[in-house]
Amino acid sequence: MNNFLNWPTILPEYLNSILQNSLLVLVLICVAAIIFSKDLLISTILLSVFSLLMALIYLMLDAPDVAITEAAVGACISTIILLIALTYTKKTEYYAKFSLKGFIVVFSIGIALIYALYDIPEYGNINNPIHTHVTPHYIQKSGHEIGINAIAASILASYRGYDTLGETSVILTAALAVIIMLTNNKEKKK
Amino acid sequence: MNNDIVLKVTAKIITPFIIIYAFYIQFHGESSPGGGFQAGAILASAFILHTIIFNINYTLKVLSMRFLKITASIGVLTYVFVGIIPVLYGGNFLDYSYLNSNKLLGQKIGIMVIELGVGITVFSVIMIIFFSFIMRKTNV
């Protein structure tokens, strides 16, 4: 694309890391606020903010497809559906009593997850499993085999066509489930 | 909504732009980020905005539940039929190279059509879920 305003297309490295880290801190603050707020309306709005921040982070990690999805589905549609669901329930959260068993289970799972974090490959390392398996094939040969510019689209639609077919039918199944659950009552009353 | 004129005018102006952006994401998906899923979600958000600002009865005149149920199935059926056509020409299921004598053009056509199917399904499903929630509230 013609960059006629002469803007830097890639941010300098230090600015990029500062932006990314501040976004991650904002995500942490947002999640803490979601957990500790008693009003469910505030939690829902903060969930939308969380999705928007995650979309920005995905965009900075060079994943614009995921960013568009997160902004449209996470920040817009799921927020609206949760808001409609809120009109059927009370606006404040129900607080369960503190239980020691539950605390032990949650705490040990948290410790296990933090322990598992050390086995995750270093971010951006070229020897990671994800960069050595099929990704080089897609990057080097999808231009000759599929002939379209967007590698993500060619993987999604052509190389992994079966998966996308399954995904689409899962979405249709979700609609069928919602129709069965939510619109059956109305016909009975008539 | 309580007859808020600012909201109504803004919604009327902004809805066509959201729809055009959704079509751009849909049909430009093979050379820029985007695709069927994203386009369907964005197109649905335009109609959701219309429903929230105006009344659901106005939106139901354009998109009835019956129509949405049919289009949701048509999307998946489009995908499956595009997958079956190569089988008739001696290829594998979903091998778009057999759609045209030029393999790359065949791939392009196949990807374009199945993305359209995915977009139609995602749009219809989101609208069905949204309308089901709202209609439960207004009718009960």
Side-chain angles (χ1 to χ4, degrees):
Chain A
M1 198 177 282
N2 200 356
N3 192 3
F4 62 95
L5 284 177
N6 262 337
W7 280 341
T9 44
I10 301 168
L11 288 173
E13 193 59 41
Y14 67 94
L15 202 61
N16 210 344
S17 70
I18 288 174
L19 263 174
Q20 211 163 310
N21 286 330
S22 51
L23 278 174
L24 285 173
V25 170
L26 276 175
V27 164
L28 273 183
I29 294 171
C30 201
V31 170
I34 290 170
I35 294 172
F36 290 114
S37 79
K38 290 173 187 170
D39 195 339
L40 286 176
L41 186 65
I42 294 174
S43 293
T44 312
I45 302 293
L46 281 173
L47 214 56
S48 162
V49 175
F50 168 77
S51 286
L52 208 60
L53 290 170
M54 285 312 289
L56 284 173
I57 290 173
Y58 292 142
L59 195 61
M60 296 200 69
L61 293 176
D62 288 338
D65 291 89
V66 192
I68 295 172
T69 314
E70 181 76 37
V73 177
C76 168
I77 288 161
S78 71
T79 308
I80 285 167
I81 288 176
L82 279 176
L83 282 177
I84 299 167
L86 266 188
T87 59
Y88 298 114
T89 57
K90 287 179 186 171
K91 287 261 165 83
T92 46
E93 201 173 339
Y94 167 72
Y95 271 96
K97 281 182 184 173
F98 178 81
S99 83
L100 190 65
K101 282 180 196 167
F103 178 75
I104 291 170
V105 169
V106 172
F107 191 75
S108 49
I109 288 175
I111 294 287
L113 284 176
I114 290 171
Y115 178 70
L117 208 63
Y118 287 100
D119 274 347
I120 287 180
E122 187 194 351
Y123 173 70
N125 191 347
I126 201 159
N127 294 321
N128 286 346
I130 191 168
H131 296 307
T132 51
H133 185 46
V134 285
T135 314
H137 178 91
Y138 290 150
I139 292 172
Q140 286 160 11
K141 294 188 179 164
S142 76
H144 300 292
E145 290 175 355
I146 310 294
I148 64 174
N149 293 334
I151 299 174
S154 63
I155 293 172
L156 189 88
S158 193
Y159 288 112
R160 293 279 175 265
Y162 281 98
D163 296 356
T164 312
L165 178 59
E167 185 187 298
T168 315
S169 35
V170 163
I171 293 169
L172 184 66
T173 316
L176 294 178
V178 167
I179 288 171
I180 290 168
M181 283 199 303
L182 291 184
T183 55
N184 201 13
N185 289 346
K186 198 186 68 187
E187 285 167 11
K188 273 181 190 168
K189 279 192 177 174
K190 276 178 185 175
Chain B
M1 282 283 162
N2 309 324
N3 287 324
D4 193 335
I5 193 149
V6 177
L7 281 178
K8 284 191 172 176
V9 171
T10 315
K12 269 186 186 173
I13 293 172
I14 213 166
T15 308
F17 286 103
I18 300 176
I19 292 173
I20 288 173
Y21 183 58
F23 281 123
Y24 170 77
I25 294 253
Q26 172 78 58
F27 293 111
H28 213 251
E30 53 182 35
S31 42
S32 68
F37 191 89
Q38 290 89 339
I42 290 170
L43 191 61
S45 72
F47 285 92
I48 287 176
L49 176 74
H50 189 270
T51 316
I52 289 175
I53 303 293
F54 300 95
N55 199 327
I56 184 173
N57 295 323
Y58 293 114
T59 318
L60 279 177
K61 279 179 189 167
V62 186
L63 293 168
S64 65
M65 278 294 268
R66 191 179 153 73
F67 175 76
L68 286 173
K69 281 173 196 170
I70 293 169
T71 48
S73 319
I74 283 177
V76 179
L77 283 178
T78 314
Y79 200 133
V80 174
F81 277 124
V82 171
I84 286 176
I85 291 170
V87 178
L88 303 178
Y89 288 98
N92 288 326
F93 185 60
L94 288 172
D95 192 352
Y96 314 125
S97 306
Y98 289 84
L99 287 176
N100 196 293
S101 52
N102 184 353
K103 278 193 175 183
L104 293 186
L105 188 63
Q107 289 279 357
K108 258 188 190 178
I109 293 170
I111 289 173
M112 195 105 174
V113 177
I114 68 135
E115 291 277 19
L116 194 62
V118 173
I120 291 170
T121 303
V122 169
F123 164 70
S124 317
V125 166
I126 290 174
M127 291 315 289
I128 285 172
I129 294 175
F130 178 69
F131 279 163
S132 311
F133 268 86
I134 295 254
M135 281 158 90
R136 196 178 159 85
K137 184 78 179 176
T138 49
N139 287 348
V140 168

